[in-house]
Amino acid sequence: MKKSALLTFVCASFVVDQSAFAASSTATPVVGVTATSATSATSATSATSATPAAPMPQSAAVAAPAAKAQNPGSAANIPDQKAMLNLMQSFPVWRVYEPVAQEMLIPFALKPVTKASLTKLVDFQFSEKTQASFKEMFGNPDPLHINLIDNPDGGVDVNILLQALDYTDPQSQNHSRWDALRSSVSYSKDFKHFNSTSDWPYFSQSFGADANLELKQIRIVQEASYNPHHIALGKAAITIPEINFQARSAGSNVNAKNVLMTSDVSQQGNKLNMVLDMNAAEVQFAGHSIGPIHIDYHFLNLNEAPMAAFIKEAAELNKAEPSTEKKLAESRKLFTTKFLPILSPASRFEIRDLSVVYQSMKAALSAAVWLEKAKQSDMSDVKLLQQKIAAHVELTMPKALALKITKFIGTFQPSASVEQKANAGLQSMIASGMVKEEQDQLSVVVDFMNGAVKVNGHEMNKAAKK
């Protein structure tokens, strides 16, 4: 399909395909063929995304940790990649997303948008297999409706409608229900700039009788321009006023309020910068309420041309390889052989802020990872680059919050001495200087360089490389 016109819908589907907070996940804008729209298709299929995007949660994967918290002696049953991917393929959201990506989107990945290419959308026909799948779920073979309208600025507006759905998979008994998704993409006269808006009023997915995920009033907006490699540069945002997750077998509920995820992709010379930001006003679980929560990631100084080449190969792999096993193997190979050229000697990953507030007490983490004194000639030698990795991490929190955390840890191993030992261990680290205490505020600073690790200035590895 043609890029941004349907990618609004594809990425809205993909957002729901992830766990509630994974959307800041991929280091990409949300709509349009960007450094990650095509990558989203591959990461969802290969489960090898370089940034934190977990596959769609399913009953065993998401309910097990909560069950373990309730029943410390129980073992968590976490399926492997293949099992999770096979389960994903039974969900209607995936059965819609995958053919849209493979049959409509990927053939046009990283190619110029033109009026002729957009016109093809109106009369596009999915494969017979896809139409049969759509008829089973929606009751008709064509639930996706697209039309084009010339706009006053000389460009084209693309309007998209995905019909509402209420469907139970006959084998797994997983139930999906969503309201109609409506999207619009407005292109400029030269088709190099676009604005898009997508609204999905309601989405829910049950995982048999074990768990249920519910999202309300999802909205995705983006404004971007294409660079010469047809990567969309600009800003995007996803807002979800309410996310609910219920693990019935564990008796556990999670409710998130006012979730906002934004991305900003920019280019300076031949380098790309990506900023991913997430906020949640409040998250309630197990009788606790935390928030606000803030996450701010920066991926800096990435080589733009290798990034475009990587996306193109990932898209082609996703289309050409139907076997899950081969797709996983080939995607791993792609990352090991094609990802390194994306990095430059000046590349950096930064966590500008990762903070959580609990009972008016704030814990905050910041970090940076970079290559110390790296040269361009070093960039093809993995072992040499490993020697040049450097990092700086800072963590701060009130002592009272640290004590609450140790108490919470004690609930996983109920014993009269667990909490006491945890508190004693914290006091020991304070006494040794490994944790710094100032006016009931605790802090830890970790530095890694030349093979040496320092914690609050104390060297942990005497065999540091010179």
Side-chain angles (χ1 to χ4, degrees):
M1 119 144 231
K2 199 64 217 160
K3 298 188 184 155
S4 303
L6 201 59
L7 200 36
T8 302
F9 154 68
V10 170
C11 291
S13 301
F14 185 66
V15 168
V16 180
D17 239 355
Q18 309 303 303
S19 60
F21 302 106
S24 56
S25 88
T26 48
T28 75
V30 180
V31 182
V33 170
T34 71
T36 46
S37 58
T39 305
S40 294
T42 303
S43 64
T45 305
S46 65
T48 54
S49 175
T51 48
M56 188 173 186
Q58 45 89 18
S59 56
V62 290
K68 190 175 177 91
Q70 297 285 333
N71 303 290
S74 64
N77 179 23
I78 307 299
D80 59 19
Q81 275 188 342
K82 181 181 176 181
M84 293 188 74
L85 289 173
N86 287 338
L87 183 67
M88 286 170 61
Q89 291 171 355
S90 71
F91 295 146
V93 67
W94 181 262
R95 289 169 59 181
V96 173
Y97 164 79
E98 188 172 44
V100 168
Q102 292 185 343
E103 297 181 31
M104 298 185 78
L105 174 64
I106 291 175
F108 295 94
L110 298 184
K111 295 179 182 178
V113 177
T114 64
K115 187 170 183 178
S117 66
L118 292 174
T119 302
K120 293 179 181 179
L121 296 176
V122 177
D123 299 319
F124 183 87
Q125 293 293 316
F126 286 101
S127 66
E128 291 184 4
K129 180 180 178 181
T130 296
Q131 291 186 54
S133 178
F134 286 171
K135 186 173 182 179
E136 176 192 344
M137 293 185 296
F138 292 92
N140 70 80
D142 186 21
L144 189 62
H145 307 283
I146 304 170
N147 64 73
L148 307 183
I149 302 175
D150 292 336
N151 62 44
D153 298 326
V156 174
D157 292 342
V158 183
N159 297 314
I160 305 161
L161 169 67
L162 175 66
Q163 291 180 203
L165 175 140
D166 193 334
Y167 175 78
T168 300
D169 180 75
Q171 294 183 338
S172 67
Q173 294 302 304
N174 294 332
H175 179 244
S176 300
R177 183 168 73 87
W178 65 63
D179 291 346
L181 181 151
R182 299 178 187 274
S183 299
S184 63
V185 187
S186 181
Y187 287 95
S188 61
K189 185 176 182 179
D190 60 4
F191 295 97
K192 292 182 179 179
H193 182 87
F194 67 89
N195 292 275
S196 65
T197 302
S198 181
D199 288 290
W200 209 350
Y202 182 82
F203 174 94
S204 70
Q205 175 67 57
S206 70
F207 310 96
D210 294 329
N212 186 71
L213 174 67
E214 180 184 59
L215 297 90
K216 299 179 180 179
Q217 300 299 327
I218 305 166
R219 165 162 275 216
I220 304 174
V221 297
Q222 184 176 17
E223 180 176 2
S225 299
Y226 293 114
N227 74 357
H229 281 109
H230 314 297
I231 293 176
L233 307 175
K235 297 181 179 181
I238 304 175
T239 56
I240 310 177
E242 185 174 355
I243 301 174
N244 297 302
F245 177 75
Q246 181 181 23
R248 299 185 185 96
S249 60
S252 178
N253 297 321
V254 178
N255 176 265
K257 299 287 189 181
N258 297 324
V259 177
L260 170 64
M261 295 164 280
T262 65
S263 66
D264 186 356
V265 177
S266 60
Q267 184 169 346
Q268 294 179 325
N270 63 354
K271 299 293 188 293
L272 288 177
N273 295 320
M274 301 180 182
V275 179
L276 303 173
D277 193 276
M278 191 202 84
N279 290 275
E282 182 183 23
V283 177
Q284 299 176 350
F285 67 98
H288 298 276
S289 177
I290 63 174
I293 299 171
H294 181 230
I295 302 173
D296 183 7
Y297 292 148
H298 290 242
F299 301 83
L300 307 174
N301 301 315
L302 305 175
N303 289 322
E304 186 269 344
M307 174 70 82
F310 178 85
I311 294 171
K312 186 174 183 178
E313 288 198 38
E316 291 173 350
L317 169 64
N318 192 54
K319 179 186 177 184
E321 189 54 74
S323 166
T324 299
E325 293 83 354
K326 290 183 179 179
K327 194 174 291 184
L328 287 171
E330 289 299 319
S331 62
R332 292 189 190 101
K333 181 180 178 181
L334 178 64
F335 270 89
T336 57
T337 59
K338 300 295 183 179
F339 184 75
L340 191 59
I342 295 174
L343 301 179
S344 72
S347 293
R348 290 173 63 91
F349 167 65
E350 298 180 358
I351 301 176
R352 298 282 178 90
D353 180 49
L354 197 168
S355 58
V356 178
V357 176
Y358 176 65
Q359 294 183 354
S360 300
M361 295 180 290
K362 181 179 180 179
L365 173 82
S366 62
V369 180
W370 68 95
L371 299 171
E372 181 69 13
K373 297 181 180 179
K375 299 176 292 186
Q376 187 59 46
S377 58
D378 302 332
M379 300 310 296
S380 60
D381 190 330
V382 175
K383 292 184 178 180
L384 183 58
L385 289 179
Q386 288 176 337
Q387 297 173 9
K388 297 195 172 187
I389 291 176
H392 177 81
V393 181
E394 296 184 12
L395 172 66
T396 61
M397 70 174 66
K399 186 176 181 180
L401 180 56
L403 294 174
K404 286 181 179 293
I405 293 174
T406 60
K407 183 177 181 179
F408 176 74
I409 293 173
T411 63
F412 289 90
Q413 298 179 2
S415 168
S417 62
V418 171
E419 183 180 345
Q420 185 178 2
K421 288 179 179 179
N423 291 340
L426 176 60
Q427 294 299 330
S428 176
M429 288 189 288
I430 293 173
S432 67
M434 300 301 290
V435 174
K436 188 176 181 180
E437 181 180 14
E438 290 183 342
Q439 297 180 344
D440 292 328
Q441 187 77 8
L442 304 181
S443 64
V444 178
V445 178
V446 180
D447 288 288
F448 175 81
M449 188 176 294
N450 297 326
V453 179
K454 291 184 178 180
V455 179
N456 286 343
H458 299 278
E459 189 169 319
M460 304 298 292
N461 180 6
K462 299 297 183 180
K465 298 180 180 180
K466 303 298 182 183

